[in-house]
Amino acid sequence: MQFPDELHEMIAEKAVAVLTTAMPSGDFQSHVMWFDITDSAVRINTQVDRVKYRNLQRDPRCSLVVVHPKNPYSYVEIRGRAISFTAGQAGRDHIDELSQHYLGSPYGLKIKSERVTIEIEPHSVTLRSPFR
């Protein structure tokens, strides 16, 4: 699935994503996340001791909303499934890449458990930009 040019623009503007996952109870949990994209997937990064990681391991369905930092009425909604979980040095390298993009330096917060990159395969990508 191809991502709209507007999403690339939002990434350049350092937009964050709001990731929503399903809790075991059926309630939803949302988190603001750094992210990047490949040609066919969205990648996020977390630690293996986090609830969002456990949620996606149990139920890979999720959604992300990315709001343009300069126009809050322009956003992209991505619905999909977590298809891969890459831990170890690759997970650590990915959080450093994201931190470099968003903050201009390697990730500086204490890592309490192992970092993991989660790749999300979209099945729906919707652009909303009514006032553009």
Side-chain angles (χ1 to χ4, degrees):
M1 179 165 292
Q2 189 168 356
F3 295 109
D5 291 339
E6 290 83 354
L7 181 59
H8 294 276
E9 179 184 322
M10 292 176 194
I11 291 169
E13 294 288 340
K14 300 182 180 180
V16 294
V18 176
L19 169 73
T20 301
T21 61
M23 299 288 290
S25 66
D27 288 339
F28 297 103
Q29 184 179 48
S30 297
H31 299 272
V32 175
M33 304 288 300
W34 291 343
F35 76 103
D36 62 12
I37 58 174
T38 66
D39 288 340
S40 60
V42 176
R43 297 188 313 163
I44 60 170
N45 192 289
T46 190
Q47 296 185 82
V48 298
D49 65 341
R50 300 284 172 84
V51 172
K52 62 184 143 296
Y53 172 78
R54 292 191 302 273
N55 287 347
L56 290 169
Q57 285 279 303
R58 182 185 36 72
D59 181 350
R61 296 174 301 158
C62 61
S63 70
L64 297 105
V65 174
V66 181
V67 179
H68 196 294
K70 293 183 178 177
N71 178 1
Y73 301 104
S74 178
Y75 65 92
V76 175
E77 180 193 29
I78 301 164
R79 296 179 188 176
R81 300 175 65 81
I83 58 168
S84 72
F85 300 82
T86 305
Q89 189 60 45
R92 173 60 207 218
D93 292 345
H94 183 238
I95 194 61
D96 283 336
E97 291 170 20
L98 290 172
S99 185
Q100 192 67 45
H101 171 73
Y102 283 95
L103 302 178
S105 61
Y107 191 70
L109 296 178
K110 182 179 179 182
I111 296 175
K112 298 176 183 174
S113 69
E114 190 173 19
R115 295 300 310 193
V116 59
T117 300
I118 302 171
E119 192 168 298
I120 298 166
E121 179 181 59
H123 65 75
S124 170
V125 177
T126 305
L127 169 68
R128 299 277 189 241
S129 191
F131 301 114
R132 192 167 178 134

